[in-house]
Amino acid sequence: QIQLTESGGGSVQTGGSLRLSCAASGSTYRTYSMGWFRQAPGSKREGVAAIDSDGTTNYADSVKGRFTISKDNAKNTVYLQMDSLKPEDTAMYYCAADFAWGWSPDLINYWGQGTQVTVSS
């Protein structure tokens, strides 16, 4: 079992930046792949970025070059640095974890409670 707690959401204007944090506890954090999904009202939950236990990163095409995922193993924390934010990035962002990353939310077993990101034009 692993517990995930997000923080760092908020409201910014177009072009602004935010950094989300996800603190993991309760299990062997370093063996999990971790990442972020987001869900806008009326839309499906979609994968945004992921980082494997060996540090390999992957991104959705919509955020490549703007978002950066990283982790601090000493703090059991994963970060999502979001730059050049656009109104279409507005969504609830969820931290996620599993032994093997899946870009479909149906493949993920562990979720945080979510943190809201709002980007105004």
Side-chain angles (χ1 to χ4, degrees):
Q1 287 284 350
I2 186 171
Q3 290 79 46
L4 306 171
T5 305
E6 303 102 330
S7 60
S11 297
V12 296
Q13 293 187 326
T14 297
S17 298
L18 284 172
R19 189 176 80 157
L20 306 183
S21 299
C22 174
S25 63
S27 187
T28 310
Y29 154 82
R30 298 185 188 189
T31 64
Y32 286 83
S33 293
M34 298 186 66
W36 297 87
F37 281 75
R38 66 186 181 187
Q39 188 167 19
S43 298
K44 294 181 179 180
R45 192 170 296 191
E46 62 176 4
V48 175
I51 185 165
D52 290 340
S53 56
D54 65 357
T56 301
T57 59
N58 286 284
Y59 299 90
D61 288 341
S62 59
V63 306
K64 280 181 182 176
R66 300 188 299 120
F67 290 12
T68 303
I69 189 169
S70 63
K71 63 179 179 176
D72 184 336
N73 287 334
K75 296 182 178 180
N76 284 7
T77 299
V78 173
Y79 304 98
L80 184 67
Q81 177 67 41
M82 305 185 294
D83 298 319
S84 302
L85 283 161
K86 305 174 181 180
E88 51 263 44
D89 294 318
T90 295
M92 184 72 77
Y93 282 70
Y94 296 91
C95 183
D98 214 312
F99 290 112
W101 185 256
W103 288 98
S104 168
D106 294 338
L107 300 176
I108 300 296
N109 284 297
Y110 303 104
W111 295 94
Q113 80 285 355
T115 185
Q116 179 68 37
V117 171
T118 303
V119 185
S120 58
S121 57

